[in-house]
Amino acid sequence: TVTLLGKEATESKLKETLATKPRWRAVHFACHGLVDAERPVLSALALTPTEEDDGFLTVLDVFRMKCPADLVVLSACETAKGKTLSGEGIVGLTRAFMYAGAASVLCTQWKVADDSTAALMACFYTHYREGDSKDVALQKAMREIRTGRMANGRPLVLPKELGKWKQAWTHPYYWAPFILMGEYRQTGATP
């Protein structure tokens, strides 16, 4: 596992890190997402700025990079959005990451809440690491956040730093914005 936080979460460090393996099982972006509805190639993920770059990993930047991954998770707001261009289809972050080498992208359809997103991601990765396919891991995580219960019927227990499950999370706003695009099965990549 490699984690890039704060001053290390730069575009150049990201590209350098991605190049250290032939294929990644998962690459997760937990940052702000910016949607440019009129110019979708300028939609971006907010990283840390440096002297070399502005800190915005745009759709255009992603189209120009390599991201060999079984799964890219974009847990920021509205990362599934894009613009339909004649002869091109939908242009946005999801398409860019697939073009860059991701077999699938887990993304969001609307603005997301930080606490429920963190909880859903914790549940998702628990199931994904245990061997569930991406679609099944997402389905289980959504059910757990929606109901506050694990598959065995016991109350959902989250990592201590995330706090406790909240009754408000039963509303679809908290668990339903996540969609999986692309390949839903494992592709045999190593973690």
Side-chain angles (χ1 to χ4, degrees), residues 35-187:
V35 177
D36 189 324
E38 292 305 310
R39 298 169 299 173
V41 294
L42 298 180
S43 292
L45 297 172
L47 301 178
T48 301
T50 66
E51 290 181 14
E52 293 83 34
D53 66 75
D54 61 6
F56 296 105
L57 183 66
T58 67
V59 167
L60 194 55
D61 293 331
V62 177
F63 271 121
R64 294 177 177 156
M65 65 186 253
K66 300 258 187 260
C67 186
D70 190 37
L71 172 66
V72 169
V73 178
L74 305 174
S75 62
C77 297
E78 303 178 311
T79 53
K81 289 192 172 187
K83 184 174 184 178
T84 303
L85 300 177
S86 180
E88 292 294 320
I90 297 174
V91 175
L93 286 165
T94 300
R95 179 174 176 184
F97 274 103
M98 292 179 132
Y99 183 84
S104 56
V105 178
L106 180 56
C107 49
T108 61
Q109 300 178 88
W110 56 76
K111 291 185 185 296
V112 295
D114 288 344
D115 58 352
S116 58
T117 296
L120 189 135
M121 289 294 111
C123 295
F124 170 79
Y125 281 115
T126 295
H127 298 299
Y128 189 49
R129 276 191 296 274
E130 290 174 351
D132 284 330
S133 62
K134 294 170 260 190
D135 61 329
V136 170
L138 180 60
Q139 178 188 32
K140 286 180 178 180
M142 290 173 135
R143 184 182 314 119
E144 288 171 349
I145 296 303
R146 181 175 49 84
T147 65
R149 301 237 169 242
M150 297 187 301
N152 61 13
R154 292 188 181 141
L156 179 62
V157 177
L158 297 169
K160 195 184 295 188
E161 66 272 11
L162 297 180
K164 295 184 185 250
W165 177 82
K166 297 176 182 162
Q167 181 67 38
W169 295 352
T170 61
H171 191 280
Y173 167 79
Y174 295 98
W175 54 268
F178 299 89
I179 57 172
L180 182 65
M181 308 285 279
E183 179 61 54
Y184 62 91
R185 296 170 293 189
Q186 316 305 38
T187 59

